[in-house]
Amino acid sequence: MEISNLGASELVSHLSAGHLTAVDCIQYFLQRIEQTNQSLNAFVNISDTALQRAREIDARRASGKPVGPLAGLPIAVKDGICTSGLKTTAGSKMLEQFVPPYDATIVRRLIDADGIVIGKTNMDEFAMGSSTEHSHFGAVKNPWSLDRVPGGSSGGSAACVAADMSPVAIGSDTGGSIRQPASFCGITGLKPTYGRVSRYGLIAFASSLDQIGPMTRTAKDSALILSVIAGHDVKDSTSAKNDVPDFTRSLEKPLTGVRIGICREHFDEGLDPEVESCVREATKVLESLGAATCEIHLPHTPYAVATYYVVAPCEASSNLARYDGVRYTYRAAATDLEQMYCQTRAAGFGDEVKQRIMLGTYALSSGYYDAFYLKASRVRRMIKHDYDQAFGEVDLILGPTSPTTAFSIGEHSHNPLAMYLADIYTVSANLAGVPAISIPAGISASGLPIGLQLQARSFDEGALLQAAHQFQSVTGWHATKPPLYQGPQT
Amino acid sequence: MSEFIDRAVVEQVARLARIHLSEQQLDASSKQLGEILNYVGQLERVTLPDDVEPFFGAIESVNAIRADEVNSSVDRDSILSNAPDSDGEFYSVPPVF
């Protein structure tokens, strides 16, 4: 069987029907990782128990005992999400030796569903970045072009799915960290509604913005994974008690009557014309499927990046205070306590992380709080209000995921602000808490993927997945693979 | 607004953040922080009606309360196994003074 052409849903069907064993499936992907990881650097750690788990699942199935809905499915997990007994570094020297004593709730749910964690994926340190260049373990390369970034911060997760090293990866998204790398690597990436998925065991970056979600080939595969990981968790008091539907059930519903708003502010200055024309084409496809489109406004969009780069660093400066040399593996040599704090944080954090902690500390410090954090939080209210207004008129909001295709490695390394602007269309969803998805919508003349972003009302991931699935039923972009990684040569 | 933040301010922020920065890093930080603060400074120019309340989190729920029950948690040994230094019962740190 040609495993490389199968997505997560198909793999699960074949595993369940007995066409494929979990051992064969895991062995195939472990071999792909071995062949490919050296050039991409997508994984920082490979599980040494995955094969054993596969054997157990095969044995259980063979003996007629019940197995979970993901039985035998390999899953890559971003290295900012805790896996019991498996090193979890968040891409940082600070946590280079950290072995969590517990599983994140989503990891537990995936394992309980008999999914198999195959390894941990590389990321920007503490998820701070849009390129996965800021990892202590080196930059991740884009499978479509090795001199390009895969996007970030879930760049390892995006690259591993695009390069057929895992059918599913889990990412986290604070300002676009699932969607922008999905866009740059030509895969599907979903940021659920804030509160939809438990954050317990996610190494915190900005707690009011962070959300975990699936990164897969197709919307159908994302629906499968979201159905498993979503839902209230007593260990995360911000997780929502809303019912979790089976998201795979509503995919086939036609788009007739669905109203899609084209956000005017997402087509302003700075948008690559090739990306724009691709998104316009995708709009026509959705119209041909029965959706009605109209122009809408999110008037505070121009302030979203500035708002985000106050709120997120403020929360980060507080969250990262715990890395002080006392509890989490790394400690720099020092003769007194104060020196231990300062030297540990100086040597354990990379430059971008230090920069954001400094920014947040400044913005929260006495005399600046009102001008920065309070003002940004008030603008954030207006950004949310824009969405409330828009969703009174439309069901979905459409636009590009990122203003450009994948940029070159090193292109923004001396200009953090230019890098921050790569998040211009994605940060608003985090600030407002609404769900959003990026799906492949085309390939540029230079051979790089282009992503389309859809956003929906809070807790209406079903509408996102339905529209994305309908789009993928009549287009082939999600099935187009990077020329370098089209699977094993025959 | 200036593109540079005063060196003394950067030093004070680094002290508050408990991050030791070299002279060179202080200079670099003064420039980079200045640029970013200059960019986010556009928020000052957004005029908002007085009654716009801050929005601090995407879920504005009331306190989440659960039953006060004793549950098993992660045991001390596995937690201390990640400590840079411990006596098997407590974290150990260098002298405070």
Side-chain angles (χ1 to χ4, degrees), chain B residues 80 85-92:
Chain B
L80 285 179
D85 191 12
S86 87
D87 63 2
E89 195 172 357
F90 294 100
Y91 293 103
S92 304

Side-chain angles (χ1 to χ4, degrees), chain A residues 3 8 18 36 40 59 85 102 122 150 168 172 188 198 288 298 314 321 323 330 355-356 361 441 448 450 458-459 489:
Chain A
I3 296 178
T36 315
L40 294 181
Y102 65 93
N122 205 349
V168 177
S172 68
T188 300
S198 168
S288 75
L298 297 171
C314 284
Y323 304 107
Y330 181 74
Q355 182 76 7
R356 297 207 198 183
T361 304
L448 296 169
I450 297 171
S458 286
F459 299 103
Q489 300 302 311

Side-chain angles (χ1 to χ4, degrees), chain A residues 125-241:
Chain A
E125 184 179 4
F126 288 104
M128 297 178 191
S130 308
S131 66
T132 319
E133 293 169 289
H134 303 126
S135 165
H136 177 60
F137 305 100
V140 177
K141 312 279 171 58
N142 190 315
W144 292 81
S145 171
L146 296 179
D147 59 354
R148 303 274 169 166
V149 303
S153 64
S154 311
S157 289
C160 83
V161 172
D164 192 33
M165 298 154 89
S166 178
V168 177
I170 301 295
S172 68
D173 189 316
T174 305
S177 283
I178 286 175
R179 293 161 285 156
Q180 184 252 20
S183 169
F184 281 12
C185 291
I187 65 161
T188 300
L190 172 68
K191 181 202 90 74
T193 311
Y194 184 84
R196 181 59 110 171
V197 175
S198 168
R199 291 180 296 109
Y200 179 75
L202 169 66
I203 293 174
F205 162 12
S207 307
S208 82
L209 304 164
D210 297 341
Q211 190 59 199
I212 293 172
M215 303 174 79
T216 56
R217 297 239 185 98
T218 66
K220 189 178 178 185
D221 293 349
S222 279
L224 175 72
I225 300 301
L226 183 66
S227 300
V228 171
I229 63 174
H232 180 66
D233 174 17
V234 289
K235 290 174 175 164
D236 173 6
S237 60
T238 62
S239 68
K241 292 187 172 160

Side-chain angles (χ1 to χ4, degrees), chain A residues 31-69:
Chain A
Q31 195 193 348
R32 286 288 304 154
I33 293 169
E34 202 178 306
Q35 290 166 347
T36 315
N37 200 45
Q38 207 173 2
S39 58
L40 294 181
N41 200 25
F43 281 88
V44 289
N45 204 355
I46 307 301
S47 165
D48 54 13
T49 57
L51 211 49
Q52 182 54 34
R53 276 275 296 160
R55 282 191 205 104
E56 285 163 20
I57 289 165
D58 282 339
R60 198 149 21 104
R61 201 187 316 257
S63 70
K65 290 186 188 140
V67 292

Side-chain angles (χ1 to χ4, degrees), chain A residues 255-301:
Chain A
L255 292 183
T256 318
V258 171
R259 298 163 302 169
I260 300 181
I262 318 293
C263 175
R264 220 201 74 70
E265 289 78 9
H266 287 185
F267 292 86
D268 278 348
E269 194 188 341
L271 177 60
D272 181 329
E274 212 178 353
V275 174
E276 170 164 4
S277 68
C278 175
V279 172
R280 301 274 185 211
E281 280 303 309
T283 309
K284 288 182 200 157
V285 172
L286 289 163
E287 285 168 346
S288 75
L289 287 163
T293 60
C294 64
E295 187 173 276
I296 57 130
H297 289 277
L298 297 171
H300 290 83
T301 298

Side-chain angles (χ1 to χ4, degrees), chain A residues 248-410:
Chain A
T248 61
R249 292 279 167 89
S250 50
L251 298 172
E252 302 299 341
K253 236 169 79 183
L255 292 183
T256 318
V258 171
R259 298 163 302 169
I260 300 181
I262 318 293
C263 175
R264 220 201 74 70
E265 289 78 9
H266 287 185
F267 292 86
D268 278 348
E269 194 188 341
L271 177 60
D272 181 329
E274 212 178 353
V275 174
E276 170 164 4
S277 68
C278 175
V279 172
R280 301 274 185 211
E281 280 303 309
T283 309
K284 288 182 200 157
V285 172
L286 289 163
E287 285 168 346
S288 75
L289 287 163
T293 60
C294 64
E295 187 173 276
I296 57 130
H297 289 277
L298 297 171
H300 290 83
T301 298
Y303 304 111
V305 170
T307 303
Y308 177 83
Y309 277 97
V310 173
V311 171
C314 284
E315 295 188 21
S317 73
S318 170
N319 274 324
L320 272 63
R322 74 192 69 186
Y323 304 107
D324 56 5
V326 178
R327 288 164 292 170
Y328 300 104
T329 66
Y330 181 74
R331 176 185 294 181
T335 51
D336 66 56
L337 189 66
E338 178 81 15
Q339 199 194 19
M340 181 193 81
Y341 294 151
C342 296
Q343 297 295 346
T344 296
R345 292 162 67 76
F349 290 137
D351 287 343
E352 180 64 24
V353 171
K354 283 183 217 170
Q355 182 76 7
R356 297 207 198 183
I357 292 174
M358 294 279 290
L359 182 58
T361 304
Y362 176 88
L364 288 173
S365 61
S366 169
Y368 300 104
Y369 175 87
D370 283 6
F372 289 103
Y373 186 66
L374 190 63
K375 184 63 182 281
S377 298
R378 294 179 72 224
V379 176
R380 185 177 179 185
R381 167 79 59 193
M382 299 311 292
I383 290 169
K384 179 179 184 292
H385 180 72
D386 287 351
Y387 277 101
D388 293 343
Q389 296 285 107
F391 285 129
E393 296 166 36
V394 297
D395 304 304
L396 296 171
I397 295 172
L398 172 152
T401 305
S402 175
T404 64
T405 53
F407 45 86
S408 297
I409 291 174

